[in-house]
Amino acid sequence: TTEGSVSSRARTVRRIVVDHVLFVVGDLDASRRLYSAALAPLGFEELHVQEDGVSYGAEGLDDFTIARGTPVTTAAHVAFDAEGRAAVDAFFEAALANGATIRGGPGVWTQYSEGYYAAFVNDLHGNNVEAVWHAPEPVTNAPQRPGVP
């Protein structure tokens, strides 16, 4: 990589570029079980629960919402920040235990950077849901995953 490129810069402070994301779901109860379990290891909790939706966030900021409706959100991608490798792994296991399917197992996704430790699942509607930890140094003791999940 070249100096100053995205993959070589330290990621200590990031500008918020998207304020929040909403996915429309068909089965709110099943989606709530999946997202509540998968997002818990990332520090997200249910902040607002209503008859037709659930908003998740950390530190009181609702960054992600699922809402019952039609048409459902499909083929979207959302990536959640993780505090470390263990949080990514726990996200992956919790998601699979609650109805998600594997899109890309935990590992270093080398096309992004040598410190991009992430896992990818498909939610109940085929959305690509990711947990990612931007390691401060290259991660060498994990599966190396080339390609795009």
Side-chain angles (χ1 to χ4, degrees), residues 4-14 134-137:
S5 72
V6 171
S7 61
S8 68
R9 288 187 301 222
R11 297 188 196 306
T12 55
V13 177
R14 292 184 60 165
H134 295 281
E137 301 292 330

Side-chain angles (χ1 to χ4, degrees), residues 21 23 25 31 34-39 42 44 64 66 73-81 88 91-92 95-96 100-106 109 116 118-132 149:
V21 172
F23 280 6
V25 300
S31 293
L34 187 157
Y35 280 105
S36 293
L39 296 178
L42 306 178
F44 278 65
F64 180 72
I66 55 173
T73 304
T74 61
H77 173 67
V78 63
F80 294 97
D81 183 55
V88 171
F91 155 86
F92 185 73
L96 294 181
T101 58
I102 298 171
R103 187 177 189 101
W109 292 85
Y116 196 99
F120 301 80
V121 298
N122 295 307
D123 75 0
L124 304 176
H125 296 293
N127 295 298
N128 178 353
V129 183
E130 171 188 0
V132 59

Side-chain angles (χ1 to χ4, degrees), residues 13-34:
V13 177
R14 292 184 60 165
R15 178 177 163 230
I16 296 172
V17 295
V18 175
D19 186 73
H20 60 277
V21 172
L22 181 141
F23 280 6
V24 177
V25 300
D27 183 336
L28 182 61
D29 292 334
S31 293
R32 181 180 182 188
R33 282 191 298 277
L34 187 157

